[in-house]
Amino acid sequence: MDQSVAIQETLAEGEYCIIAVQGVLCEGDSRQSRLLGLVRYRLEHGGQEHALFLYTHRRMAITGDDVCLDQIVPVSRDFTLEEVSSDGELYILGSDVTVQLDTAELSLTFQLPFGSHTRMFLQEVARACPGLDPATRDPEFQWLSRYRCTEMEPLPRGGNSALGTWPGCARIGGGRYPSGEGRWGLEEARLQGWALLCVGGVVMELPGFLLAEAAAGADPWGSAGGAVRRRDEELEEAAEMSAAAGSRDRDSSGGSHLDNLRPNGKGLFVDQSSRGQDKPENLLTRQTKSKLEITDMVRSSTITVSDKAHILSMQKFGLRETLVKSYLMQKEEDYTYIQNFRFFVGTYNVNGQSPKECLQPWLSHGIQAPDVYCVGFQELDLSKEAFFFHDTPKEEEWFKAVSESLHPDAKYAKVKFIRLVGIMLLLYVKQEHAAHISEVEAETVGTGIMGRMGNKGGVAIRFKFHNTSICVVNSHLAAHTEEYERRNQDYKDICSRMQFCQVDPSLPPLTISKHDVILWLGDLNYRIEELDVEKVKKLIEEKDFQTLYAYDQLKTQVAAKAVFEGFTEGELTFQPTYKYDTGSDEWDTSEKCRAPAWCDRILWKGKNITQLSYQSHMALKTSDHKPVSSEFDIGVRVKNEELYRKTLEEIVRSLDKMENANIPSVSLSKLEFCFQNVKYMQLQVESFTIHNGQVPCQFEFINKPGEESYCRQWLNANPSKGFLLPDSAIEIELEIFVTKTMATKLNSGEDKIEDILVLHLDRGKDYFLSVSGNYVPSCFGSPIHTLCYMREPISDLPLETVRELTLMPLWTEDDGSQLENPMEIPKELWMMVDYLYRNAAQEEDLFQQPGRRLEFEHIRDCLDTGMIENLDTLCILHHSVAEALLLFLESLPEPVICYSAYHNCLECSGNYTASKQVISTLPTFHKNVFNYLLAFLRQLLENSEKNHLDENILASIFGSLLLRNPAGQQKLEMAEKKAQEFIHQFLCNSP
């Protein structure tokens, strides 16, 4: 998920967030999550300056409302950002990267997640750093003055600053900009024409960083000539050094940077190795460390030393390297053999409980020590704090419980863990295998309410083990027996939205399907249908699992090819794992008396996989679910180093013969694309094929002059870049998807479905693609006052009328100039609220469970066409209408409580009388909508025993929708909490 989009919404004109990364600010024993954004500002004279913006945030930052600016650190001459390590600490493969940020006035320590995205972030920061050339004028950062609300006291150097001590403004560090001479010890090299930066112990060349030939053990600083030698010489040296290396561990990633390529069958280069190993002796001297607390975290585990300097180095992925990798992949069977490794896969829905018993019966009893552990949890924390703010102490509790229960006959190292609210995935490997793990990436996808909340969704870790790519997915899909279609949609969303960055930034992200082995575990929530509770229990008592399995929803949906196509699941020889009375083996005795079901499942996809066991573990009674485990023998491709060297040499020699053969040329199956009747939040896709000629080529859609992106916001090309072998082809999909940030201007005619895409070939020509279409105006994205003046459905109005009303100023309502009397509130809002009031006032978990995507489209069309009666005849879920209401409020270009009243609302959030006074000053239509919505919410609270809603839940959900931070303005400290308090007082008090 690109969180730079959320930061961009908070920035002023001329400021652009290049890249963002989520990290942890470390202050002694304190750990606080921060979002770090690198922001660029273009100066009038043509130059540019940069600063790091540090944000507090809630959950995954999707919009500007999810972040709050905490501190700004200008990237000045005295700015440094480098990897650090403490005395006595060993690196763990896949562990977080610790970096130290220093200026003349402050010092901050962050932990950033292991992976290519962090590497790209650090590379961009490196590029942003000013040079030390005294002839270059010092950055002035006058554009940051808008963020400075008071004179800051200098922060002490050598320790972290206490963040959040100036409410309502951002602290700006690094107020002095000294020359920085003597800091790096590299000035002489700089003055000789080298632009160097030391990041994480790696010396890099700017703007084109030196390629660290790690596998070859090359010395990047041997001579100036060595820095610019021909690529074929570098590859030949890599081959020679590979031969010399033999079978020794050249690389903690299990190979040189010239192997591990995966074509997709169409000639498209879609995967590659993460990096070559930068040997410490060939880079700056690094300090060796040991992690003293590791014994407590990973029991019986001696952590392998892994030099992570290569994570921060910039590699040049030229066409020649790409060709080598591609041909190596084609010839993989010539230099690899299959070796079996034992994998343990486990899943456990813990129902928000803390660990109360040893996990060894699940993780290690009665099995041989696995080579790899993949352990997943769901419902780690069910509290509102975890749901809305993503924080939970139970993460550490369960991590420790797992680490203490791993098999006692082996030593394990944690490779990676990832969590999204209550969904957590842990990956461990035996110590001796750590050197063969590479390309570790982790991502999350939330599929909860409004398609973003993380109470439902999935997390995944992908990695390469020797020469085999593996993806492990842990998911928690939608609940309730009748919601199998929503579960199917959750699965599809996870598959389509889960994307992993590749090491080569010129290549498109990897999806789950682009792996040799996929292991999918979790609470999939598929139930037993068509049988009553007593019949289900009777079949379980008789252990007639085969008959019961015939009524299993997952079996039915897989057979219909609705989900998990191509996946395999072992035979279910254990009784259903849900639902039990907590602390016992008794079936649910609550009022709902839910029917038992196999909610917790493990499936797999790929070759050379043998399932050895598939079982539940009745001994654990902490939760209303039972944990499930499966053991696999998985055949992994392992390199024969001698055969690999010979294959590499043959490829390099053959490439020498075709080095400058021809200019690449392709043909496109289509150059013009017309999208008819584009609708709000409804995906449209057009595809075309790129056919390559006789010369390998790299392609990429590039920015047009003066533009920040290669396409308009509503358009996306998938993939947007890639590599084609000779005589191969790739299908490109052009996707149009209109969201709240684009809808208003499309309604008003300020934007149109028109764009020109430029497809660029490396060393070749550019191709121009024309995109056109028409947008169907919608109430979604329309201002409140505009809708009030639309007495007819928006679809019945002429486009010119829609445009005029959309562009009408907010305060026009009070000047009496309109010819037709407006409605008090938008009719579309009334239609949704009236439906929910009549049909769903007692619906459990209203506004917390997601609806169905197709049903949202039907609801949108009913609102836009005025077909109110269709809402009652469509047989749609109440949750779909509730989610549509939330999406409607989110899409308003001016929120219900106008931006102009935002700060006043926060200031008086604890004073009900003053708060009512602020509401009274709103434009009439906005005031009417606010009062109408709050009256409806108070009606829902009268049914709280049935719908399980309370004031806190509703304030949390509606606070950020009704009261939004103005775009381009910094978010006040505790703004989100104050917004909730503001709404909360109206819910607790009658008007």
Side-chain angles (χ1 to χ4, degrees), residues 702-951:
I702 61 173
N703 298 0
K704 296 180 284 293
E707 297 190 5
E708 299 283 2
S709 175
Y710 70 86
C711 66
R712 307 295 290 273
Q713 275 189 299
W714 36 260
L715 182 61
N716 181 58
N718 184 28
S720 62
K721 50 191 173 183
F723 170 75
L724 284 168
L725 291 172
D727 295 317
S728 63
I730 178 64
E731 184 177 69
I732 306 294
E733 291 185 336
L734 298 183
E735 304 167 339
I736 285 188
F737 192 72
V738 175
T739 63
K740 63 185 180 71
T741 58
M742 319 151 204
T744 305
K745 288 190 174 183
L746 287 168
N747 278 346
S748 68
E750 295 173 281
D751 192 9
K752 296 180 179 179
I753 304 296
E754 293 179 359
D755 200 4
I756 299 293
L757 298 180
V758 182
L759 180 65
H760 173 72
L761 300 186
D762 186 27
R763 300 186 303 117
K765 69 175 186 177
D766 293 340
Y767 298 78
F768 298 89
L769 289 76
S770 171
V771 177
S772 62
N774 69 292
Y775 179 70
V776 179
S778 173
C779 63
F780 288 85
S782 295
I784 288 176
H785 65 286
T786 295
L787 294 174
C788 287
Y789 279 108
M790 290 182 180
R791 301 191 67 88
E792 300 297 323
I794 192 170
S795 63
D796 292 348
L797 296 175
L799 290 179
E800 188 58 35
T801 301
V802 173
R803 290 167 184 163
E804 289 177 359
L805 291 175
T806 303
L807 292 171
M808 183 173 60
L810 173 61
W811 291 95
T812 304
E813 60 186 85
D814 296 325
D815 65 11
S817 63
Q818 296 302 314
L819 297 177
E820 191 172 7
N821 290 330
M823 294 173 289
E824 293 186 355
I825 62 172
K827 57 188 177 301
E828 296 83 2
L829 175 65
W830 174 84
M831 290 169 63
M832 290 184 284
V833 170
D834 178 68
Y835 175 93
L836 294 172
Y837 177 73
R838 289 185 290 106
N839 300 290
Q842 297 183 1
E843 184 77 26
E844 184 178 352
D845 296 332
L846 195 67
F847 296 117
Q848 298 173 83
Q849 290 292 335
R852 295 173 183 166
R853 180 169 303 165
L854 185 59
E855 291 183 356
F856 166 76
E857 295 174 4
H858 292 321
I859 294 167
R860 177 206 59 214
D861 291 345
C862 286
L863 298 177
D864 289 341
T865 58
M867 304 295 288
I868 181 173
E869 64 277 3
N870 285 3
L871 282 181
D872 288 303
T873 60
L874 281 175
C875 297
I876 55 180
L877 291 177
H878 302 331
H879 293 299
S880 296
V881 180
E883 185 171 21
L885 174 58
L886 298 181
L887 290 170
F888 174 82
L889 296 174
E890 185 186 45
S891 74
L892 294 172
E894 184 83 21
V896 175
I897 299 176
C898 300
Y899 289 129
S900 59
Y902 175 78
H903 293 289
N904 289 338
C905 289
L906 298 189
E907 290 173 3
C908 64
S909 60
N911 186 327
Y912 183 51
T913 301
S915 297
K916 288 194 296 182
Q917 179 61 34
V918 174
I919 295 299
S920 70
T921 65
L922 295 177
T924 303
F925 299 139
H926 286 251
K927 180 170 55 180
N928 292 345
V929 168
F930 179 84
N931 291 330
Y932 180 67
L933 283 172
L934 267 295
F936 167 61
L937 297 180
R938 285 191 289 265
Q939 286 289 329
L940 292 180
L941 291 174
E942 293 181 5
N943 294 277
S944 59
E945 290 187 5
K946 296 287 187 180
N947 58 35
H948 298 163
L949 292 171
D950 61 33
E951 294 88 347

Side-chain angles (χ1 to χ4, degrees), residues 419-572:
R419 181 177 65 83
L420 174 67
V421 187
I423 310 170
M424 183 167 76
L425 180 61
L426 303 166
L427 178 66
Y428 302 84
V429 298
K430 278 185 178 179
Q431 170 190 323
E432 57 265 33
H433 300 320
H436 304 290
I437 299 287
S438 65
E439 298 184 39
V440 182
E441 297 287 343
E443 289 295 342
T444 68
V445 169
T447 62
I449 188 74
M450 300 173 70
R452 56 186 278 192
M453 294 295 193
N455 57 320
K456 294 294 188 291
V459 300
I461 299 173
R462 65 90 53 196
F463 60 100
K464 292 201 74 172
F465 189 21
H466 289 279
N467 242 43
T468 294
S469 62
I470 299 172
C471 183
V472 185
V473 185
N474 174 22
S475 66
H476 190 190
L477 309 185
H480 305 302
T481 302
E482 69 280 4
E483 288 293 336
Y484 66 90
E485 289 184 356
R486 179 68 218 190
R487 287 187 275 280
N488 295 352
Q489 185 61 56
D490 287 350
Y491 164 80
K492 293 173 184 176
D493 284 348
I494 292 169
C495 289
S496 63
R497 292 167 51 198
M498 190 78 74
Q499 298 187 337
F500 306 93
C501 293
Q502 296 202 62
V503 178
D504 183 349
S506 70
L507 295 178
L510 288 174
T511 58
I512 293 172
S513 63
K514 302 294 185 181
H515 291 82
D516 300 323
V517 173
I518 305 170
L519 302 172
W520 197 304
L521 58 113
D523 180 359
L524 306 187
N525 250 324
Y526 288 95
R527 309 300 176 91
I528 305 295
E529 57 185 358
E530 298 183 17
L531 296 177
D532 59 40
V533 176
E534 294 308 316
K535 179 62 174 177
V536 172
K537 292 181 178 178
K538 186 175 186 299
L539 290 172
I540 295 172
E541 186 178 348
E542 296 171 352
K543 296 191 182 301
D544 190 357
F545 300 138
Q546 186 173 358
T547 299
L548 188 62
Y549 181 57
Y551 297 91
D552 176 67
Q553 284 181 339
L554 181 57
K555 175 183 182 297
T556 304
Q557 296 304 306
V558 170
K561 297 186 177 180
V563 289
F564 291 104
E565 190 169 359
F567 280 80
T568 303
E569 183 182 20
E571 182 181 357
L572 294 173

Side-chain angles (χ1 to χ4, degrees), residues 950-966:
D950 61 33
E951 294 88 347
N952 292 325
I953 293 175
L954 291 178
S956 297
I957 295 170
F958 284 87
S960 60
L961 294 174
L962 303 182
L963 194 59
R964 303 204 303 258
N965 187 56

Side-chain angles (χ1 to χ4, degrees), residues 33-207:
S33 184
R34 289 290 185 273
L35 188 61
L36 291 74
L38 178 63
V39 175
R40 178 186 68 214
Y41 181 78
R42 295 193 184 278
L43 303 173
E44 292 183 0
H45 58 72
Q48 57 187 27
E49 296 177 349
H50 298 79
L52 268 186
F53 281 47
L54 312 181
Y55 293 82
T56 58
H57 62 101
R58 62 172 184 175
R59 57 179 181 267
M60 181 68 71
I62 307 290
T63 71
D65 294 326
D66 296 330
V67 298
C68 179
L69 183 59
D70 187 81
Q71 188 171 10
I72 299 173
V73 183
V75 181
S76 55
R77 289 193 188 276
D78 69 337
F79 176 98
T80 64
L81 185 68
E82 57 184 333
E83 185 183 1
V84 297
S85 47
S86 306
D87 293 336
E89 180 179 354
L90 284 177
Y91 282 117
I92 311 173
L93 180 67
S95 65
D96 292 339
V97 181
T98 302
V99 296
Q100 184 80 24
L101 188 161
D102 287 309
T103 71
E105 297 178 345
L106 62 83
S107 179
L108 302 173
T109 301
F110 295 94
Q111 286 183 345
L112 304 181
F114 178 92
S116 63
H117 188 69
T118 289
R119 181 170 58 257
M120 286 189 289
F121 174 81
L122 293 168
Q123 290 164 5
E124 292 292 347
V125 173
R127 290 191 183 100
C129 289
L132 294 182
D133 185 355
T136 304
R137 74 176 190 178
D138 290 341
E140 298 177 354
F141 300 107
Q142 294 182 2
W143 56 284
L144 292 179
S145 60
R146 63 186 295 270
Y147 296 98
R148 193 190 302 269
C149 61
T150 184
E151 187 65 29
M152 306 302 177
E153 290 296 326
L155 297 171
R157 184 170 177 81
N160 289 333
S161 62
L163 298 184
T165 54
W166 283 279
C169 63
R171 297 197 316 283
I172 302 179
R176 294 185 294 111
Y177 312 114
S179 66
E181 293 180 2
R183 182 177 300 105
W184 298 102
L186 298 172
E187 287 70 19
E188 183 177 353
R190 292 179 186 274
L191 296 176
Q192 293 174 355
W194 295 72
L196 304 177
L197 182 68
C198 178
V199 178
V202 182
V203 179
M204 298 181 287
E205 179 187 10
L206 296 174

